[in-house]
Amino acid sequence: MGAYILRRILLMIPTLFGIMAISFAVIQFAPGGPVEQVIAKLTGQGGGDRLSGGGGDGTESGGALGEGGEISSKYRGAQGLDAEFIARLEQQFGFDRPPLERFGKMLWDYLRFDFGNSYFRDISVLELILEKMPVSVSLGLWITLLSYLISIPLGIRKAVQDGSAFDVWTSGVVIVGYAIPGFLFAILLMVLFAGGSFFDWFPLRGLTSENWAQLSWPERILDYFWHLALPLTAMILSAFATTTLLTKNSFLDEIRKQYVVTARAKGLSERQVLYRHVFRNAMLIIIAGFPGAFISAFFTGSLLIENIFSLDGLGLLGFRSVLDRDYPVVFANLYIFSLIGLFISLISDLTYTWIDPRIDFERRDV
């Protein structure tokens, strides 16, 4: 197992390099980079993405000055601004160096977990990410825990009672839940229960109340879950549906196999057959989907929910950083979550061997 773990860790290096290289290359062609963002704000033209000239990260490197000190056409909207000022902007953002040099420096810094400072916030990127982390951790952990605690027992019961009235009506609920987009359900919850048009039972902003520091510990816990109630309800809908159907189909597939018939012929009860034999094999596919489900809930899955409920987490931070062309924050988020995803995938494989010792990854090619 040690050799397999070592191979997987070594394979993370080219995988992570590929992710960062492709993302960095795409950024070179994205319009409205940081320099244009600053120019747009100075000239009152709004966001830099409204400007059609110039690339994002790479096309802004060098060449800002034309003959006679005039501004190159790649910075449309920069007319009237001093050429030396534009050059200083490029130097400030590091775009006075070639793209390959900037990419190499970024990789070297990231290997040492030095993510630099935000372009537009007076704070280091690492401090900014740590500041937003509690919101995303709360959403990701709770949604993953709740979806598995609800979906696995429900999926097992649906598999055992396949074709019954219970299976039919719960399947209807699951399909409807899967079909409803989470952000639309979040808006509905907000209108119904967060002071929209009906009830004002739940807060609409933040993870805790303003007087949270003055509350007792029991009151803090209640306040925390009071703020999480609507966001988690909106997020759990699709996760709950997907995991339930996956669990049911996995158990149905195992229940119909020959070893289950043999176990029943030996006189084992249905409960013994289900939880001693079927459960271990059927749960393998559920575990396989855990890394993707966790990362999705932890970051991308909470993006719209964080926007709707004004939760200042990593999803909202990443979204705003892309709009602002705050590349250090964008790439740091990408690097950290790619690294987390790769390690969680490895942990998932190791969990396979804990659930079913018959699995031996060392005998298979990575």
Side-chain angles (χ1 to χ4, degrees), residues 3-129:
Y4 171 76
I5 295 175
L6 180 60
R7 287 198 303 269
R8 285 292 300 272
I9 292 176
L10 291 177
L11 281 174
M12 290 180 187
I13 298 174
T15 302
L16 197 59
F17 176 84
I19 292 172
M20 300 303 295
I22 293 173
S23 302
F24 188 86
V26 170
I27 287 295
Q28 308 311 303
F29 303 99
V35 174
E36 288 182 327
Q37 292 284 327
V38 174
I39 293 173
K41 292 177 181 179
L42 290 175
T43 56
Q45 299 181 50
D49 51 355
R50 294 183 184 178
L51 305 176
S52 58
D57 191 15
T59 56
E60 293 174 349
S61 58
L65 303 178
E67 293 183 4
E70 296 180 355
I71 305 300
S72 172
S73 60
K74 71 176 181 177
Y75 291 127
R76 294 183 60 183
Q79 289 78 6
L81 295 179
D82 184 61
E84 293 184 2
F85 172 73
I86 300 298
R88 286 197 301 270
L89 278 181
E90 288 187 325
Q91 185 177 10
Q92 175 184 341
F93 293 122
F95 297 149
D96 57 330
R97 290 173 291 180
L100 286 179
E101 181 181 341
R102 286 187 278 114
F103 179 66
K105 182 180 184 304
M106 182 184 72
L107 289 182
W108 172 246
D109 290 339
Y110 282 14
L111 286 174
R112 296 176 289 126
F113 287 91
D114 178 10
F115 302 111
N117 294 322
S118 168
Y119 282 162
F120 305 111
R121 300 175 177 90
D122 189 20
I123 188 175
S124 73
V125 173
L126 190 58
E127 289 179 9
L128 188 60
I129 291 175

Side-chain angles (χ1 to χ4, degrees), residues 157-158 161-169:
R157 186 176 177 185
K158 285 173 63 63
Q161 301 183 17
D162 183 42
S164 65
F166 172 82
D167 180 45
V168 172
W169 75 262

